[in-house]
Amino acid sequence: MNDDEAPPTPATPTTPAEWDALIAEWDEIRQGYSLGDARGTVLACARNLEASVAADGPDTALWTLGLVLIGPYVIHADPDAAAEARVLKAMAAVERALGQADCAHEEHPCDEMPDDDELDNLLHVLEMLARPEGGADDESDDRFESRTTREIWACPRNVAGFAREFSQV
């Protein structure tokens, strides 16, 4: 099946539970035990990423980091030149759109691209980004730290950095 014959892109998850299900599917692909259409899922992620970037969508960080997690499937596990090109095209769109964004952060997680054994941490980041922030009356130190971490991980420069690093691997 070529990219033009791929199934339609599923609707973007709108709840933490829907994101959790998708993130679990992404983890199955990364671990190599997905029973579903792994290639189709990778391509759907790339298409959703391209759409999110074009619309300046709020889920661009999730789609980008998801593709960092599962994109190697079409490059290494089940090589597919057309799918790999689509993944790299989506990552290039992220870099072009977000790579020059202003930010006040001194450093970003993308400064050290995770090794394969560190991708479990990226899985936890995806789960954190998929959950809405706490209520306005929640002022605990843990919640503040979570907001700070979320802000840095979702920073456009960080997202673009991950896209750039992924494309160079």
Side-chain angles (χ1 to χ4, degrees):
M1 170 187 326
N2 65 39
D3 191 30
D4 296 330
E5 298 170 356
T9 302
T12 299
T14 58
T15 67
E18 290 171 347
W19 276 109
D20 285 347
L22 183 57
I23 292 166
E25 184 177 355
W26 289 346
D27 190 41
E28 289 175 1
I29 291 170
R30 177 183 69 100
Q31 297 288 344
Y33 59 85
S34 174
L35 298 177
D37 178 11
R39 181 183 172 278
T41 300
V42 171
L43 288 171
C45 184
R47 287 192 304 272
N48 277 309
L49 175 56
E50 289 172 328
S52 185
V53 168
D56 196 23
D59 297 326
T60 299
L62 279 159
W63 292 119
T64 302
L65 297 176
L67 206 49
V68 167
L69 191 70
I70 64 174
Y73 174 84
V74 297
I75 297 170
H76 303 293
D78 188 13
D80 181 317
E84 179 180 348
R86 183 66 184 253
V87 167
L88 294 174
K89 178 183 170 196
M91 291 301 210
V94 171
E95 161 120 54
R96 277 191 312 277
L98 305 178
Q100 301 303 314
D102 292 330
C103 88
H105 305 123
E106 292 182 25
E107 56 187 38
H108 295 94
C110 69
D111 296 338
E112 293 187 31
M113 184 73 163
D115 295 326
D116 288 342
D117 59 342
E118 295 178 77
L119 288 177
D120 283 337
N121 293 331
L122 191 55
L123 186 64
H124 296 298
V125 169
L126 285 163
E127 292 168 347
M128 173 195 62
L129 290 174
R131 288 174 176 72
E133 294 187 50
D137 59 344
D138 186 356
E139 297 179 18
S140 71
D141 290 338
D142 290 341
R143 181 53 67 184
F144 175 76
E145 184 62 32
S146 177
R147 279 194 296 263
T148 302
T149 302
R150 178 178 282 111
E151 175 188 312
I152 291 172
W153 275 97
C155 173
R157 299 257 329 236
N158 184 61
V159 173
F162 268 96
R164 179 177 46 259
E165 290 297 319
F166 176 89
S167 298
Q168 296 174 2
V169 172

